Coordinates of all heavy atoms in Angstrom, one line a residue:
K161 N 170.6 -169.4 -28.4 CA 170.9 -170.7 -27.9 C 171.6 -170.6 -26.5 O 171.3 -171.4 -25.6 CB 172.0 -171.3 -28.9 CG 172.4 -172.7 -28.5 CD 173.4 -173.3 -29.5 CE 173.9 -174.6 -29.0 NZ 174.9 -175.2 -30.1
Q162 N 172.4 -169.5 -26.3 CA 173.1 -169.4 -25.0 C 172.1 -169.1 -23.8 O 172.2 -169.5 -22.7 CB 174.1 -168.2 -25.1 CG 175.3 -168.5 -25.8 CD 176.3 -169.3 -25.0 OE1 176.1 -169.5 -23.8 NE2 177.5 -169.5 -25.5
I163 N 171.1 -168.3 -24.2 CA 170.2 -167.8 -23.1 C 168.9 -168.7 -22.9 O 168.3 -168.6 -21.8 CB 169.7 -166.3 -23.5 CG1 169.3 -165.6 -22.2 CG2 168.6 -166.4 -24.6 CD1 169.0 -164.1 -22.5
L164 N 168.6 -169.6 -23.8 CA 167.5 -170.4 -23.6 C 167.6 -171.4 -22.5 O 168.7 -172.0 -22.4 CB 167.2 -171.2 -24.9 CG 165.8 -171.7 -25.2 CD1 164.8 -170.6 -25.3 CD2 165.8 -172.6 -26.5
S165 N 166.6 -171.5 -21.6 CA 166.8 -172.3 -20.5 C 166.5 -173.8 -20.8 O 165.8 -174.1 -21.8 CB 165.9 -171.9 -19.4 OG 164.5 -172.3 -19.5
S166 N 166.8 -174.7 -20.0 CA 166.5 -176.1 -20.2 C 165.0 -176.5 -20.0 O 164.5 -177.6 -20.4 CB 167.3 -177.0 -19.2 OG 167.0 -176.6 -17.8
F167 N 164.2 -175.5 -19.5 CA 162.8 -175.7 -19.4 C 162.0 -175.4 -20.6 O 160.8 -175.7 -20.7 CB 162.2 -174.8 -18.3 CG 162.7 -175.2 -16.9 CD1 163.9 -174.6 -16.4 CD2 162.0 -176.0 -16.1 CE1 164.3 -174.9 -15.1 CE2 162.4 -176.5 -14.9 CZ 163.6 -175.9 -14.3
A168 N 162.6 -174.8 -21.6 CA 162.0 -174.4 -22.9 C 161.4 -175.7 -23.6 O 162.1 -176.7 -23.8 CB 162.9 -173.7 -23.8
K169 N 160.2 -175.5 -24.0 CA 159.5 -176.5 -24.8 C 159.9 -176.4 -26.3 O 160.4 -175.3 -26.6 CB 158.0 -176.5 -24.6 CG 157.6 -176.7 -23.1 CD 156.1 -176.5 -22.9 CE 155.7 -176.7 -21.4 NZ 154.2 -176.5 -21.2
T170 N 159.4 -177.3 -27.1 CA 159.8 -177.2 -28.5 C 159.3 -176.0 -29.2 O 160.1 -175.3 -29.9 CB 159.3 -178.4 -29.3 OG1 159.7 -179.7 -28.7 CG2 159.6 -178.5 -30.7
R171 N 158.2 -175.6 -28.9 CA 157.6 -174.4 -29.5 C 158.2 -173.1 -29.0 O 158.2 -172.0 -29.6 CB 156.0 -174.3 -29.4 CG 155.6 -174.4 -28.0 CD 154.1 -174.4 -27.9 NE 153.6 -175.0 -26.6 CZ 152.4 -174.9 -26.2 NH1 151.4 -174.4 -27.0 NH2 152.0 -175.6 -25.2
D172 N 158.9 -173.2 -27.7 CA 159.6 -172.0 -27.2 C 160.9 -171.8 -27.8 O 161.5 -170.7 -27.7 CB 159.7 -172.2 -25.6 CG 158.4 -172.4 -24.9 OD1 157.5 -171.7 -25.2 OD2 158.3 -173.2 -24.0
A173 N 161.5 -172.9 -28.4 CA 162.8 -172.8 -28.9 C 163.0 -172.3 -30.3 O 164.0 -172.4 -30.9 CB 163.5 -174.2 -28.8
R174 N 161.9 -171.7 -30.9 CA 161.9 -171.2 -32.2 C 162.3 -169.7 -32.0 O 161.6 -168.9 -31.3 CB 160.6 -171.3 -32.8 CG 160.2 -172.8 -33.0 CD 159.0 -172.9 -33.9 NE 158.5 -174.2 -34.0 CZ 157.4 -174.7 -33.4 NH1 156.7 -173.8 -32.6 NH2 156.9 -175.9 -33.4
L175 N 163.3 -169.3 -32.8 CA 163.8 -167.9 -32.8 C 162.8 -167.0 -33.7 O 162.8 -167.2 -34.8 CB 165.3 -167.8 -33.3 CG 165.9 -166.4 -33.4 CD1 165.9 -165.7 -32.1 CD2 167.3 -166.6 -34.0
S176 N 162.1 -166.2 -33.1 CA 161.1 -165.3 -33.8 C 161.7 -163.9 -34.1 O 162.8 -163.6 -33.5 CB 159.9 -165.2 -32.9 OG 160.1 -164.4 -31.7
E177 N 161.0 -163.2 -34.8 CA 161.4 -161.8 -35.2 C 161.4 -160.9 -33.9 O 162.2 -160.1 -33.7 CB 160.5 -161.2 -36.3 CG 160.8 -161.7 -37.7 CD 162.3 -161.5 -38.0 OE1 162.8 -160.3 -37.8 OE2 162.9 -162.4 -38.5
K178 N 160.4 -161.2 -33.0 CA 160.4 -160.5 -31.8 C 161.6 -160.7 -31.0 O 162.2 -159.8 -30.4 CB 159.1 -160.8 -31.0 CG 159.0 -160.0 -29.7 CD 157.7 -160.4 -28.9 CE 157.5 -159.7 -27.7 NZ 156.3 -160.1 -27.0
H179 N 162.0 -162.0 -30.9 CA 163.3 -162.3 -30.2 C 164.4 -161.6 -30.8 O 165.3 -161.0 -30.0 CB 163.5 -163.9 -30.2 CG 162.6 -164.7 -29.5 ND1 162.1 -165.9 -29.9 CD2 162.0 -164.4 -28.2 CE1 161.2 -166.4 -29.0 NE2 161.1 -165.5 -28.0
R180 N 164.5 -161.5 -32.1 CA 165.7 -160.9 -32.8 C 165.7 -159.4 -32.4 O 166.8 -158.9 -32.2 CB 165.6 -161.1 -34.3 CG 165.7 -162.4 -34.8 CD 165.7 -162.5 -36.3 NE 165.7 -163.9 -36.9 CZ 166.8 -164.6 -37.0 NH1 168.0 -164.1 -36.8 NH2 166.8 -165.9 -37.5
R181 N 164.6 -158.7 -32.4 CA 164.6 -157.3 -32.1 C 165.1 -157.1 -30.7 O 165.9 -156.2 -30.4 CB 163.2 -156.8 -32.2 CG 162.6 -156.6 -33.7 CD 161.5 -155.7 -33.7 NE 160.3 -156.2 -32.9 CZ 159.4 -157.1 -33.3 NH1 159.5 -157.6 -34.6 NH2 158.4 -157.4 -32.5
H182 N 164.6 -158.0 -29.7 CA 165.1 -157.8 -28.4 C 166.6 -158.1 -28.2 O 167.3 -157.5 -27.4 CB 164.2 -158.6 -27.4 CG 162.9 -158.0 -27.1 ND1 162.8 -156.9 -26.3 CD2 161.7 -158.3 -27.5 CE1 161.5 -156.5 -26.2 NE2 160.8 -157.4 -26.9
I183 N 167.0 -159.1 -28.9 CA 168.4 -159.6 -28.8 C 169.4 -158.4 -29.3 O 170.3 -158.1 -28.7 CB 168.6 -160.8 -29.7 CG1 168.0 -162.1 -28.9 CG2 170.2 -161.1 -29.9 CD1 168.0 -163.3 -29.8
Q184 N 169.0 -157.8 -30.4 CA 169.8 -156.7 -30.9 C 169.7 -155.5 -30.1 O 170.8 -154.8 -29.9 CB 169.3 -156.4 -32.4 CG 169.6 -157.5 -33.4 CD 168.8 -157.5 -34.7 OE1 168.2 -156.4 -35.0 NE2 168.8 -158.6 -35.4
A185 N 168.6 -155.2 -29.5 CA 168.4 -154.1 -28.6 C 169.3 -154.3 -27.3 O 169.9 -153.4 -26.8 CB 167.0 -153.8 -28.3
F186 N 169.2 -155.6 -26.8 CA 170.0 -156.0 -25.6 C 171.5 -155.7 -25.9 O 172.2 -155.1 -25.0 CB 169.7 -157.4 -25.3 CG 170.5 -157.9 -24.1 CD1 170.0 -158.0 -22.8 CD2 171.8 -158.3 -24.2 CE1 170.6 -158.4 -21.7 CE2 172.5 -158.8 -23.1 CZ 172.0 -158.9 -21.8
Q187 N 172.0 -156.2 -27.0 CA 173.4 -156.1 -27.3 C 173.8 -154.6 -27.4 O 174.9 -154.2 -27.0 CB 173.8 -156.9 -28.6 CG 173.6 -158.4 -28.4 CD 174.2 -159.2 -29.5 OE1 175.4 -159.2 -29.6 NE2 173.4 -159.8 -30.3

């Protein structure tokens, strides 16, 4: 939610498993 830009479309705003892996690796 913090990192998503205002340009994101509805389908872009879904948190996927790929996103989770990168979020955890980033942290």
Side-chain angles (χ1 to χ4, degrees):
K161 181 180 178 181
Q162 285 280 1
I163 203 170
L164 203 63
S165 81
S166 58
F167 290 91
K169 300 175 182 178
T170 302
R171 56 183 156 171
D172 299 320
R174 301 190 186 105
L175 178 60
S176 68
E177 283 304 312
K178 182 179 180 181
H179 289 143
R180 291 183 187 277
R181 288 197 301 273
H182 281 288
I183 289 170
Q184 291 161 18
F186 178 99
Q187 294 194 67

